[in-house]
């Protein structure tokens, strides 16, 4: 159970560090550049919130309406699937916008595939009336996290 914690902690610091490095690489050499400490706070809130609140709500919904999945299983699934965002954050330091979008898209698709492959059959069978809608909501939340990862940490004015 420690793996997801360490992956999330590492991801938070890598996101903040690489986001600031990318900001430095994209900055004008004439301006004074400053480290943005808010990136660390936002990364912690975003990652810890996503990896803890979404699995907890899913666990409660599955328990209330059907078969429950162990909370530890969901926490580990969400924690381990965030690993692919660590190399994506490092790649996003390169000041090529197309490469940044490709890295985030690849991380989003691969981690989303892990979610779909592990959760969709269980959620659809456990919640026959609401299973598909639940999967769509989980997918939308995942896409929103991926989009926030790119836009907040690696989007800079030209």
């Amino acid at each position: 159970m420690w793996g997801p914690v360490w992956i999330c902690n590492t991801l938070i610091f890598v996101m903040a560090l690489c986001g600031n490095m990318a900001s430095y690489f994209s900055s004008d050499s004439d301006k004074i550049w400053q480290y943005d400490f808010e990136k660390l706070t936002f990364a912690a809130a975003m990652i810890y919130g996503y990896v803890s609140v979404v699995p907890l709500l899913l666990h409660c919904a599955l328990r209330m309406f059907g078969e429950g999945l162990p909370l530890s299983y969901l926490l580990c699934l969400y924690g381990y699937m965030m690993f692919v965002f660590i190399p994506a954050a490092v790649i996003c330091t390169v000041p090529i916008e197309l490469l940044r979008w490709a890295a985030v898209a690849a991380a989003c698709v691969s981690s989303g595939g892990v979610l779909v492959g592990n959760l969709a059959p269980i959620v659809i069978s456990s919640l026959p009336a609401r299973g598909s809608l639940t999967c769509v909501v989980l997918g939308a939340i995942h896409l929103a996290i991926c989009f926030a990862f790119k836009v907040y940490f690696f989007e800079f004015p030209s």
Side-chain angles (χ1 to χ4, degrees), residues 4-60:
V5 173
W6 285 111
I7 288 171
C8 291
N9 287 342
T10 302
L11 177 60
I12 288 164
F13 285 104
V14 168
M15 285 169 59
L17 174 69
C18 291
N20 278 294
M21 285 175 56
S23 169
Y24 177 75
F25 295 149
S26 297
S27 68
D28 235 354
S29 60
D30 298 340
K31 296 180 184 175
I32 295 176
W33 180 82
Q34 290 184 325
Y35 187 88
D36 185 3
F37 285 102
E38 290 178 5
K39 287 190 186 302
L40 184 64
T41 307
F42 186 77
M46 184 173 89
I47 298 302
Y48 288 142
Y50 180 61
V51 171
S52 61
V53 173
V54 173
L56 180 63
L57 292 176
L58 180 60
H59 172 74
C60 291

Coordinates of all heavy atoms in Angstrom, one line a residue, residues 4-60:
P4 N 1.5 3.4 -3.9 CA 0.8 4.6 -4.4 C 1.1 5.9 -3.7 O 1.1 7.0 -4.3 CB -0.7 4.2 -4.1 CG -0.7 2.7 -4.1 CD 0.7 2.3 -3.6
V5 N 1.4 5.8 -2.4 CA 1.8 7.0 -1.6 C 3.1 7.6 -2.2 O 3.2 8.8 -2.4 CB 1.9 6.7 -0.1 CG1 2.5 7.9 0.6 CG2 0.6 6.3 0.4
W6 N 4.1 6.7 -2.4 CA 5.4 7.2 -2.9 C 5.3 7.7 -4.3 O 5.9 8.7 -4.7 CB 6.5 6.1 -2.7 CG 6.9 6.0 -1.3 CD1 6.7 4.9 -0.5 CD2 7.6 7.0 -0.5 NE1 7.2 5.2 0.7 CE2 7.8 6.4 0.7 CE3 8.1 8.3 -0.8 CZ2 8.4 7.1 1.8 CZ3 8.7 8.9 0.2 CH2 8.9 8.4 1.5
I7 N 4.5 7.0 -5.1 CA 4.3 7.5 -6.5 C 3.6 8.9 -6.5 O 4.1 9.8 -7.2 CB 3.5 6.5 -7.3 CG1 4.3 5.2 -7.6 CG2 3.0 7.1 -8.6 CD1 3.6 4.1 -8.2
C8 N 2.6 9.0 -5.7 CA 1.9 10.4 -5.7 C 2.8 11.4 -5.1 O 2.9 12.6 -5.7 CB 0.7 10.3 -4.8 SG -0.6 9.3 -5.6
N9 N 3.6 11.1 -4.1 CA 4.5 12.1 -3.5 C 5.6 12.5 -4.6 O 5.9 13.7 -4.8 CB 5.2 11.6 -2.3 CG 4.3 11.6 -1.1 OD1 3.3 12.2 -1.1 ND2 4.7 10.8 -0.1
T10 N 6.1 11.5 -5.3 CA 7.1 11.8 -6.3 C 6.5 12.6 -7.4 O 7.1 13.6 -7.9 CB 7.7 10.5 -6.8 OG1 8.2 9.7 -5.8 CG2 8.7 10.7 -7.9
L11 N 5.3 12.2 -7.8 CA 4.6 12.9 -8.9 C 4.4 14.4 -8.6 O 4.6 15.3 -9.4 CB 3.3 12.3 -9.3 CG 2.5 13.0 -10.4 CD1 3.3 13.1 -11.7 CD2 1.2 12.2 -10.6
I12 N 4.0 14.7 -7.3 CA 3.7 16.0 -6.9 C 5.0 16.9 -7.0 O 5.0 18.0 -7.6 CB 3.2 16.0 -5.5 CG1 1.7 15.5 -5.5 CG2 3.2 17.4 -4.9 CD1 1.2 15.1 -4.1
F13 N 6.1 16.4 -6.5 CA 7.3 17.2 -6.6 C 7.9 17.3 -8.0 O 8.4 18.3 -8.4 CB 8.4 16.6 -5.6 CG 8.1 16.9 -4.2 CD1 7.6 16.0 -3.3 CD2 8.3 18.2 -3.7 CE1 7.3 16.3 -2.0 CE2 8.0 18.5 -2.4 CZ 7.5 17.6 -1.5
V14 N 7.7 16.2 -8.8 CA 8.2 16.3 -10.2 C 7.3 17.3 -11.0 O 7.8 18.0 -11.8 CB 8.2 14.9 -10.8 CG1 8.3 14.9 -12.3 CG2 9.3 14.0 -10.2
M15 N 6.0 17.3 -10.7 CA 5.1 18.2 -11.5 C 5.5 19.6 -11.1 O 5.6 20.5 -12.0 CB 3.7 18.0 -11.1 CG 3.0 16.8 -11.7 SD 1.4 16.3 -11.0 CE 0.5 17.8 -11.3
A16 N 5.7 19.9 -9.9 CA 6.1 21.3 -9.5 C 7.4 21.7 -10.0 O 7.6 22.8 -10.6 CB 6.0 21.4 -7.9
L17 N 8.4 20.8 -9.9 CA 9.8 21.1 -10.4 C 9.8 21.2 -11.9 O 10.3 22.2 -12.4 CB 10.7 20.0 -9.9 CG 12.1 20.1 -10.5 CD1 12.9 21.2 -9.9 CD2 12.9 18.8 -10.3
C18 N 9.2 20.3 -12.6 CA 9.3 20.3 -14.0 C 8.4 21.5 -14.6 O 8.7 22.1 -15.6 CB 8.8 19.0 -14.6 SG 10.0 17.7 -14.3
G19 N 7.3 21.8 -13.9 CA 6.5 22.9 -14.3 C 7.3 24.2 -14.2 O 7.2 25.1 -15.1
N20 N 8.0 24.4 -13.1 CA 8.8 25.6 -13.0 C 10.0 25.6 -13.9 O 10.4 26.6 -14.4 CB 9.3 25.7 -11.5 CG 8.2 26.3 -10.7 OD1 7.9 27.5 -10.8 ND2 7.7 25.5 -9.8
M21 N 10.6 24.4 -14.2 CA 11.7 24.4 -15.2 C 11.2 24.7 -16.6 O 11.8 25.5 -17.3 CB 12.3 22.9 -15.2 CG 13.2 22.6 -14.0 SD 13.8 20.9 -14.0 CE 14.6 20.8 -15.6
A22 N 10.0 24.2 -16.9 CA 9.4 24.6 -18.2 C 9.1 26.1 -18.3 O 9.3 26.7 -19.3 CB 8.2 23.7 -18.5
S23 N 8.7 26.6 -17.2 CA 8.4 28.1 -17.1 C 9.7 28.8 -17.3 O 9.7 29.8 -18.1 CB 7.8 28.4 -15.8 OG 7.7 29.8 -15.6
Y24 N 10.8 28.4 -16.7 CA 12.1 29.1 -16.9 C 12.6 29.0 -18.3 O 13.0 29.9 -18.9 CB 13.1 28.4 -15.9 CG 14.5 29.0 -16.1 CD1 14.8 30.2 -15.6 CD2 15.5 28.3 -16.7 CE1 16.0 30.8 -15.7 CE2 16.7 28.8 -16.9 CZ 17.0 30.1 -16.4 OH 18.3 30.6 -16.6
F25 N 12.4 27.8 -18.9 CA 12.9 27.6 -20.3 C 12.1 28.4 -21.3 O 12.6 28.8 -22.3 CB 12.8 26.1 -20.7 CG 13.8 25.2 -20.0 CD1 13.5 23.9 -19.7 CD2 15.0 25.7 -19.5 CE1 14.4 23.1 -19.0 CE2 15.9 24.9 -18.8 CZ 15.6 23.6 -18.5
S26 N 10.8 28.7 -21.0 CA 9.9 29.4 -21.8 C 10.0 30.9 -21.6 O 9.4 31.7 -22.3 CB 8.5 28.9 -21.7 OG 8.4 27.6 -22.1
S27 N 10.6 31.3 -20.5 CA 10.6 32.8 -20.1 C 11.6 33.6 -21.0 O 12.5 33.0 -21.7 CB 11.0 32.9 -18.7 OG 12.4 32.6 -18.5
D28 N 11.3 34.8 -21.0 CA 12.2 35.8 -21.8 C 13.5 36.0 -21.0 O 13.5 36.0 -19.7 CB 11.5 37.1 -21.9 CG 11.4 37.6 -23.3 OD1 11.9 37.0 -24.2 OD2 10.7 38.7 -23.5
S29 N 14.6 36.0 -21.7 CA 15.9 36.2 -20.9 C 16.0 37.6 -20.4 O 16.8 37.8 -19.5 CB 17.0 35.9 -21.9 OG 17.0 36.7 -23.0
D30 N 15.2 38.5 -20.8 CA 15.2 39.9 -20.3 C 14.5 40.1 -19.0 O 14.9 41.0 -18.2 CB 14.6 40.9 -21.3 CG 15.3 40.9 -22.7 OD1 16.5 40.4 -22.7 OD2 14.7 41.3 -23.7
K31 N 13.6 39.2 -18.7 CA 12.8 39.3 -17.5 C 13.4 38.5 -16.3 O 14.1 37.6 -16.6 CB 11.4 38.8 -17.7 CG 10.6 39.6 -18.7 CD 9.2 39.0 -18.8 CE 8.4 39.6 -19.9 NZ 7.1 39.0 -20.1
I32 N 13.1 39.0 -15.1 CA 13.6 38.2 -13.9 C 12.6 37.1 -13.7 O 11.4 37.3 -13.6 CB 13.7 39.1 -12.7 CG1 14.7 40.2 -12.9 CG2 13.9 38.3 -11.5 CD1 14.8 41.2 -11.8
W33 N 13.1 35.9 -13.7 CA 12.2 34.7 -13.5 C 12.1 34.4 -12.0 O 13.1 34.5 -11.3 CB 12.8 33.5 -14.2 CG 12.0 32.3 -14.1 CD1 10.9 32.0 -14.8 CD2 12.2 31.2 -13.2 NE1 10.4 30.8 -14.4 CE2 11.2 30.3 -13.4 CE3 13.1 31.0 -12.2 CZ2 11.1 29.1 -12.7 CZ3 13.0 29.8 -11.4 CH2 12.0 28.9 -11.7
Q34 N 10.9 34.0 -11.6 CA 10.7 33.6 -10.2 C 10.1 32.2 -10.1 O 9.2 31.9 -10.9 CB 9.8 34.6 -9.4 CG 10.5 35.9 -9.2 CD 9.7 36.8 -8.4 OE1 8.4 36.8 -8.5 NE2 10.3 37.6 -7.5
Y35 N 10.5 31.4 -9.1 CA 9.9 30.1 -8.9 C 8.5 30.3 -8.4 O 8.2 31.2 -7.6 CB 10.8 29.4 -7.8 CG 10.4 28.0 -7.6 CD1 10.9 26.9 -8.3 CD2 9.4 27.6 -6.6 CE1 10.5 25.6 -8.1 CE2 9.1 26.3 -6.3 CZ 9.6 25.3 -7.1 OH 9.2 24.0 -6.9
D36 N 7.6 29.5 -8.9 CA 6.2 29.6 -8.5 C 5.9 28.5 -7.4 O 5.6 27.3 -7.8 CB 5.3 29.4 -9.7 CG 3.8 29.6 -9.4 OD1 3.5 29.9 -8.2 OD2 3.0 29.5 -10.3
F37 N 5.8 28.8 -6.2 CA 5.6 27.8 -5.1 C 4.1 27.3 -5.1 O 3.9 26.3 -4.6 CB 5.9 28.4 -3.7 CG 7.4 28.5 -3.5 CD1 8.0 29.7 -3.6 CD2 8.1 27.4 -3.2 CE1 9.4 29.8 -3.4 CE2 9.5 27.5 -2.9 CZ 10.1 28.7 -3.1
E38 N 3.2 28.1 -5.7 CA 1.9 27.6 -5.8 C 1.7 26.4 -6.6 O 0.7 25.6 -6.4 CB 1.0 28.7 -6.3 CG 0.8 29.9 -5.4 CD 0.0 31.0 -6.0 OE1 -0.6 30.9 -7.1 OE2 -0.1 32.1 -5.3
K39 N 2.6 26.1 -7.5 CA 2.5 24.9 -8.3 C 2.6 23.6 -7.4 O 1.9 22.7 -7.6 CB 3.6 24.8 -9.3 CG 3.4 25.8 -10.5 CD 4.4 25.5 -11.6 CE 4.3 26.5 -12.7 NZ 3.0 26.6 -13.4
L40 N 3.4 23.7 -6.4 CA 3.6 22.6 -5.4 C 2.3 22.4 -4.7 O 1.8 21.2 -4.5 CB 4.7 22.8 -4.5 CG 5.0 21.7 -3.5 CD1 5.5 20.4 -4.3 CD2 6.1 22.1 -2.5
T41 N 1.7 23.4 -4.2 CA 0.4 23.3 -3.4 C -0.7 22.8 -4.3 O -1.5 21.9 -3.9 CB 0.0 24.7 -2.9 OG1 1.2 25.2 -2.1 CG2 -1.2 24.6 -2.0
F42 N -0.8 23.4 -5.5 CA -1.8 22.9 -6.4 C -1.6 21.5 -6.8 O -2.6 20.7 -6.9 CB -1.9 23.8 -7.7 CG -3.0 23.5 -8.6 CD1 -4.3 23.9 -8.3 CD2 -2.8 22.8 -9.7 CE1 -5.4 23.6 -9.1 CE2 -3.9 22.5 -10.6 CZ -5.2 22.9 -10.2
A43 N -0.4 21.1 -7.1 CA -0.1 19.7 -7.4 C -0.5 18.7 -6.3 O -1.2 17.7 -6.5 CB 1.4 19.5 -7.7
A44 N -0.2 19.1 -5.1 CA -0.6 18.2 -3.9 C -2.1 18.1 -3.8 O -2.7 17.0 -3.6 CB 0.0 18.8 -2.6
A45 N -2.8 19.2 -3.9 CA -4.3 19.2 -3.8 C -4.9 18.4 -4.9 O -5.8 17.6 -4.7 CB -4.8 20.6 -3.8
M46 N -4.4 18.6 -6.1 CA -4.9 17.9 -7.3 C -4.7 16.4 -7.2 O -5.6 15.6 -7.4 CB -4.3 18.5 -8.6 CG -4.9 17.9 -9.9 SD -4.3 18.8 -11.3 CE -2.8 17.8 -11.7
I47 N -3.5 16.0 -7.0 CA -3.1 14.6 -7.0 C -3.7 13.9 -5.8 O -4.4 12.8 -5.9 CB -1.6 14.4 -7.1 CG1 -1.1 15.0 -8.4 CG2 -1.2 12.9 -6.9 CD1 -1.7 14.4 -9.6
Y48 N -3.5 14.4 -4.6 CA -4.1 13.7 -3.4 C -5.6 13.7 -3.4 O -6.2 12.7 -3.0 CB -3.6 14.4 -2.1 CG -2.2 14.2 -1.7 CD1 -1.4 15.2 -1.2 CD2 -1.5 13.0 -1.9 CE1 -0.1 15.0 -0.9 CE2 -0.2 12.8 -1.6 CZ 0.5 13.8 -1.1 OH 1.8 13.6 -0.7
G49 N -6.2 14.8 -3.9 CA -7.6 14.8 -4.1 C -8.1 13.7 -5.0 O -9.1 13.0 -4.7
Y50 N -7.5 13.7 -6.2 CA -7.9 12.7 -7.2 C -7.7 11.3 -6.7 O -8.6 10.4 -6.9 CB -7.2 13.0 -8.5 CG -7.5 12.0 -9.6 CD1 -8.8 12.0 -10.1 CD2 -6.6 11.2 -10.2 CE1 -9.2 11.1 -11.2 CE2 -6.9 10.4 -11.3 CZ -8.2 10.3 -11.7 OH -8.5 9.5 -12.8
V51 N -6.6 11.0 -6.2 CA -6.2 9.6 -5.8 C -6.9 9.1 -4.5 O -6.9 7.9 -4.3 CB -4.7 9.5 -5.7 CG1 -4.2 8.2 -5.2 CG2 -4.1 9.7 -7.1
S52 N -7.4 10.0 -3.7 CA -8.1 9.6 -2.5 C -9.6 9.8 -2.6 O -10.4 8.9 -2.2 CB -7.5 10.3 -1.3 OG -7.7 11.7 -1.4
V53 N -10.1 10.9 -3.0 CA -11.6 11.2 -3.0 C -12.3 10.4 -4.1 O -13.4 9.8 -3.7 CB -11.8 12.7 -3.2 CG1 -13.3 13.0 -3.3 CG2 -11.2 13.5 -2.0
V54 N -11.8 10.3 -5.3 CA -12.5 9.6 -6.3 C -12.7 8.1 -6.0 O -13.8 7.5 -6.0 CB -11.9 9.8 -7.7 CG1 -12.5 8.9 -8.7 CG2 -12.0 11.2 -8.1
P55 N -11.6 7.4 -5.5 CA -11.8 6.0 -5.1 C -12.7 5.8 -3.9 O -13.4 4.9 -3.8 CB -10.3 5.6 -4.8 CG -9.4 6.5 -5.5 CD -10.2 7.8 -5.6
L56 N -12.6 6.8 -3.0 CA -13.5 6.7 -1.8 C -15.0 6.8 -2.2 O -15.8 6.0 -1.8 CB -13.2 7.8 -0.8 CG -14.0 7.8 0.5 CD1 -13.8 6.5 1.3 CD2 -13.7 9.0 1.3
L57 N -15.3 7.8 -3.1 CA -16.7 7.9 -3.6 C -17.1 6.7 -4.4 O -18.3 6.3 -4.3 CB -16.8 9.2 -4.4 CG -16.6 10.5 -3.6 CD1 -16.7 11.7 -4.6 CD2 -17.7 10.6 -2.6
L58 N -16.2 6.2 -5.2 CA -16.6 5.0 -6.0 C -16.8 3.8 -5.1 O -17.7 3.0 -5.3 CB -15.4 4.7 -7.0 CG -15.7 3.5 -7.9 CD1 -16.9 3.7 -8.8 CD2 -14.4 3.3 -8.8
H59 N -16.0 3.7 -4.1 CA -16.1 2.6 -3.1 C -17.5 2.7 -2.4 O -18.2 1.7 -2.3 CB -15.0 2.6 -2.1 CG -15.2 1.7 -0.9 ND1 -15.0 0.3 -1.1 CD2 -15.6 1.9 0.3 CE1 -15.3 -0.3 0.1 NE2 -15.6 0.7 1.0
C60 N -17.9 3.9 -2.0 CA -19.2 4.1 -1.3 C -20.3 3.8 -2.3 O -21.3 3.1 -1.9 CB -19.3 5.5 -0.8 SG -18.1 5.8 0.6

